[in-house]
Amino acid sequence: MAVPLNADGEDGHRPDYPPKTPPPPKKPVEPPRPEGAALGAVLVRPRLAARIANRRAANWTLESAPWTPAKAGRYIVGKLGEWGHHLDSDREANITAVTVLLARAALTDGGRRISLHLADQDHQALILILSHQSDHVPEDEGLLREVTALGVVSCGTDTDQEDGGRRRWALIDLSG
């Protein structure tokens, strides 16, 4: 059956006005807003993990043994020599002594291993030792005094629950 057309060539049927439009997209589900008490709370940013980036670095994993501190000292001085740092005997002895003190302190935490990290930049060396032990012996306050007496630029210690241990570090000037 043919549909009769009018003079304009249309079938005489008017379109629906207004034209149908698609529904708007649904909004994503919004997370619940904090309660009134939580608005006054202080937000604590999670602690950043130890990270050495954009500089020359080396690391070693050492067992927890009586000879480990001396071995750590040899590793540090040897790597600094490989990197072209020519150290006089006094500076080499101080770097070894700092490393030995930090490693001995890490061993007192009682872990099965320690990690030794070394980085250099701008004629300074960073020595970082991780104990990997979550149950810590209280820090000997004399450690940082002993390390500072050996001529370091800066030193410190902190505990990180994510890394599962205590970090001890010293920054040493290699230029003179």
Side-chain angles (χ1 to χ4, degrees):
M1 173 186 213
V3 176
L5 298 177
N6 62 12
D8 295 336
E10 295 179 4
D11 65 358
H13 184 270
R14 281 185 50 163
D16 294 337
Y17 285 99
K20 292 187 178 179
T21 58
K26 292 185 177 180
K27 289 184 180 179
V29 177
E30 187 175 323
R33 299 201 178 236
E35 299 288 325
L39 291 176
V42 175
L43 296 176
V44 178
R45 191 175 117 199
R47 185 176 173 82
L48 298 175
R51 184 173 168 224
I52 299 173
N54 300 328
R55 60 194 47 95
R56 194 167 32 185
N59 58 7
W60 301 268
T61 301
L62 304 171
E63 63 184 321
S64 181
W67 55 83
T68 297
K71 192 175 188 179
R74 288 191 304 272
Y75 282 167
I76 294 293
V77 170
K79 185 55 77 173
L80 289 172
E82 283 179 32
W83 288 345
H85 296 289
H86 302 290
L87 307 171
D88 61 5
S89 59
D90 289 339
R91 174 98 27 220
E92 187 175 313
N94 285 348
I95 291 171
T96 302
V98 166
T99 306
V100 166
L101 284 171
L102 295 175
R104 276 193 195 136
L107 291 176
T108 62
D109 287 348
R112 292 178 24 198
R113 64 187 168 93
I114 63 171
S115 295
L116 173 65
H117 302 266
L118 172 68
D120 75 330
Q121 182 179 8
D122 299 330
H123 303 291
Q124 291 183 332
L126 171 68
I127 300 170
L128 172 71
I129 297 184
L130 302 168
S131 68
H132 300 287
Q133 181 62 23
S134 58
D135 300 328
H136 300 293
V137 177
E139 185 68 40
D140 178 15
E141 294 177 11
L143 171 69
L144 296 180
R145 279 190 226 112
E146 288 181 63
V147 171
T148 304
L150 293 169
V152 300
V153 174
S154 180
C155 63
T157 180
D158 65 351
T159 303
D160 187 7
Q161 298 303 327
E162 289 179 14
D163 287 340
R166 182 171 294 182
R167 293 187 286 230
R168 294 167 176 92
W169 54 269
L171 185 64
I172 301 169
D173 188 17
L174 300 174
S175 61

